[in-house]
Amino acid sequence: MLRIILSLMVSASFALSVEIFSDYLERLPDRTIVAKGHVQAYYEKYYMEADYVKYNPETREVYAEGNVYVKSIDGRMEAWGKVAFLNLKEDSGYFIDTHGRFEKFYLTAKRVDKEKEVYTVESGDITTCPPDRKEMTLCFSHAKVNEQYVFSYSNSLRLFRIPLAYLPLSVFPVGDRRSGLLPPVAGSNTYNTFIYQQPIYWAISQDKDATLTLDIRDKQASGISLEYRQAISQKSDLYSDISIYKEPTPPGKWWEGRDMTTFRENRYRLKFDLSLGSFKAGVDTLSDPYFLQDVYLHTKDRTVPYLTSYISYVKESDKFLFTVNAREFYDTTSPNNKQTLQRLPEIGLYYKDTQIFKNLYFNATLGYTNFYRDTGPRAGRMILFPEFALPVNLLGRTFYSTLTFENGLYLNSNSIGMDKGFSTFHFVERLPLFFDKRWGKLDLKNVFEVFYSYRPKSYNNPRFDNFDSIDKENQVKFSFRNYTFYGGRLLLSWYLEGGYSFLGSFTYAPYQYILSLPFSGQPSIAFTKNIVNKNLMPLRSIVSFSPLSFLSINSDILYDPNNSRFLNNTSYINLNFKNSNLTLGYVQSKDFLGNRLTDQTLISANSFYKHMSVNLGLVHDNRINKDLLRQIRLDYTGACWSLGLLLRDTYDGNRKKYIKEVFLAFNVFDLQRFTLPLKR
């Protein structure tokens, strides 16, 4: 009670400028206040604890010692120490033998001087690791901390107190978006004994920033890249990336086995994306198809199969969807871009499903696409696909009928011996049947659907996408879906489909190459026309089976009942044991003649123990009896750092040899992950 009364008297006498709570409180003749024992003091944006506090109300100076703790009310700063002095009027002071936190950094120092929001630190260390796990620290002779940056001098980077590197100067951003140097990339590969990439970040404003990266190599191409990002509005933004490299002449060993006509002394990549709501535009192009492989260090960036430059506009209403696209693709897997199929331009108008009578619905697709390539089939194609849909309830079942009038015209086609257009109709009748069963904890949900499809004529069209697949049909197909639950847990999901052709033949279309869907720009499959003179169509089965919580089996199988063989088989077995996982996979594909297109075995395993993880991967090609990929990855995650080691062998089919890679990934203070390629 005495403590509370004295505290109130003091706080009232100084107009609530400072509140002091303590076991003992005394006012000296010079009006100085002395507080002892469990002292707590409050002043505007500061809170203080100490064993002893002396406060001068005239100069507004506070001196504290013994178990000192100071915290800013906004939570940005807190410090512990033996001695502290604060001039509340000037917002300055010092701390002796202190440790504390400023923003996301933890500091330890012999002395810290404060001048408003600037801190000068002598003989200490800094880290982002929590205080109870100071595994990595940066020791320095002196440092300066402001609202934006930490500047430290004569630094020694230490891991578990072991010195790793000496840095004369180090700069860290305090906030999330501050300009400065980002962690560099350094290392070597098969063709370079030295690689150094230094990214520099520039926080231009709240809505825009940029990253400039210097890329220095002792033998291969050296260059510079600039990324620029800007948020225009909530639905609009701009991104650009310009990379320019200078290739030495004559070219080095990395050009062996390549098409030398693609060699460029001045190499570049230009990437630009603009989004303005309904309107989008972008450019992504290269000087040569090997640019990604030579410049980028990460596998994901080096193996992009094609780049896309585009202009797109979409306008949608309640009844219509109108699209305009122009898309140009750059094939990075080919020495030239002459056979790459382009869509320049593509215009589509879709009239949405509309009820015209009680049970009769209507929609229509109208479009024009100019399929262009320098070498190979090309044409401009116009299509008109009006469609009527009629759902009818009969004997308690819903029959769903669709009748599509398919019309197409090919303009300026250079394909010899192919049709210049088509005009026919396609009728499809569907009957879905639903039946569920339940026995105790076992719950089965089933859907069986029958399709009848009829088209009276076939056309020998150029095959650019699935709109060109106009083939005679008189067939019945079925599909079956099953979901089996036991005790509320999904035990089995199964999809099965097959069919029978009354024509004695059907069209089988294995994929050949990737392009984009009409009016969408999304990847799809282009087809070639292969006629199979059989009645029974392939059976497809997709199964996901989890008999036990740690075991799952997944398969996607396409089976030819006529020749009793699998056309496609993608199957995986997955085992989980506490912190470990093992996956065994098999992938095989054949054409209808039985020729193997793909035949691979896959093994993947990973295990986690405390802060360590191990990952193993193997891809074996059974056709050539070679391991296409062998990989071991080790990762350790510390309190504020991580270390990753990747060993990888990749088989190069063109050069008939393995490319060996060793990557070391090191994340310092959780600021940004960067990769050090030691050898390739």
Side-chain angles (χ1 to χ4, degrees), residues 339-562:
Q339 296 186 24
T340 306
L341 188 65
Q342 316 292 350
R343 294 171 175 266
L344 300 170
E346 184 174 39
I347 303 172
L349 179 64
Y350 176 68
Y351 181 74
K352 299 179 180 180
D353 266 331
T354 302
Q355 187 175 13
I356 55 178
F357 294 109
K358 183 178 180 180
N359 290 325
L360 185 62
Y361 295 83
F362 174 77
N363 68 73
T365 299
L366 173 66
Y368 170 78
T369 304
N370 180 35
F371 294 99
Y372 175 80
R373 52 161 63 98
D374 291 335
T375 302
R378 58 180 179 266
R381 185 193 65 195
M382 296 186 64
I383 60 170
L384 174 61
F385 282 40
E387 181 178 272
F388 294 90
L390 179 66
V392 176
N393 195 315
L394 183 63
L395 301 176
R397 302 295 181 183
T398 300
F399 292 80
Y400 191 79
S401 306
T402 59
L403 179 62
T404 306
F405 294 93
E406 301 168 324
N407 303 277
L409 179 64
Y410 296 94
L411 306 174
N412 301 318
S413 175
N414 67 344
S415 300
I416 300 174
M418 291 191 174
D419 293 333
K420 301 299 183 181
F422 57 88
S423 182
T424 185
F425 69 87
H426 189 207
F427 174 76
V428 177
E429 183 70 45
R430 297 169 52 192
L431 174 61
L433 303 172
F434 302 88
F435 54 99
D436 300 339
K437 296 291 182 181
R438 187 179 184 92
W439 296 281
K441 294 184 178 181
L442 192 64
D443 186 11
L444 285 78
K445 300 183 181 299
N446 306 287
V447 181
F448 182 81
E449 191 166 11
V450 180
F451 305 80
Y452 174 72
S453 177
Y454 177 79
R455 182 184 287 123
K457 297 181 65 176
S458 286
Y459 289 87
N460 186 25
N461 300 322
R463 300 293 169 125
F464 298 116
D465 58 33
N466 56 343
F467 275 83
D468 301 311
S469 301
I470 307 298
D471 299 303
K472 187 175 182 180
E473 289 183 7
N474 185 10
Q475 59 193 29
V476 60
K477 299 179 70 175
F478 73 91
S479 70
F480 173 73
R481 290 178 175 87
N482 166 261
Y483 300 93
T484 301
F485 297 85
Y486 184 81
R489 186 176 74 89
L490 182 61
L491 183 68
L492 170 70
S493 67
W494 183 29
Y495 173 80
L496 178 67
E497 72 171 14
Y500 182 88
S501 175
F502 297 102
L503 299 174
S505 63
F506 59 89
T507 301
Y508 176 72
Y511 66 86
Q512 278 198 320
Y513 49 85
I514 302 297
L515 69 167
S516 58
L517 274 172
F519 322 136
S520 69
Q522 299 300 316
S524 69
I525 297 173
F527 299 96
T528 56
K529 185 175 180 179
N530 295 313
I531 302 298
V532 179
N533 295 315
K534 300 290 183 179
N535 293 98
L536 290 176
M537 302 175 69
L539 290 170
R540 187 181 185 188
S541 172
I542 304 175
V543 176
S544 178
F545 181 44
S546 301
L548 301 170
S549 59
F550 61 86
L551 172 65
S552 64
I553 302 172
N554 300 275
S555 69
D556 186 346
I557 296 174
L558 188 65
Y559 180 75
D560 176 16
N562 301 288

Side-chain angles (χ1 to χ4, degrees), residues 294-361:
D294 290 347
V295 169
Y296 295 115
L297 304 179
H298 298 278
T299 303
K300 180 180 178 181
D301 299 322
R302 293 166 55 188
T303 56
V304 177
Y306 64 89
L307 309 180
T308 307
S309 300
Y310 63 94
I311 297 176
S312 175
Y313 176 77
V314 178
K315 183 67 175 179
E316 187 171 8
S317 65
D318 294 338
K319 295 292 185 181
F320 293 94
L321 175 64
F322 176 69
T323 62
V324 178
N325 293 302
R327 297 184 182 274
E328 183 177 33
F329 302 96
Y330 190 105
D331 186 358
T332 63
T333 66
S334 173
N336 60 63
N337 215 38
K338 292 184 178 181
Q339 296 186 24
T340 306
L341 188 65
Q342 316 292 350
R343 294 171 175 266
L344 300 170
E346 184 174 39
I347 303 172
L349 179 64
Y350 176 68
Y351 181 74
K352 299 179 180 180
D353 266 331
T354 302
Q355 187 175 13
I356 55 178
F357 294 109
K358 183 178 180 180
N359 290 325
L360 185 62
Y361 295 83

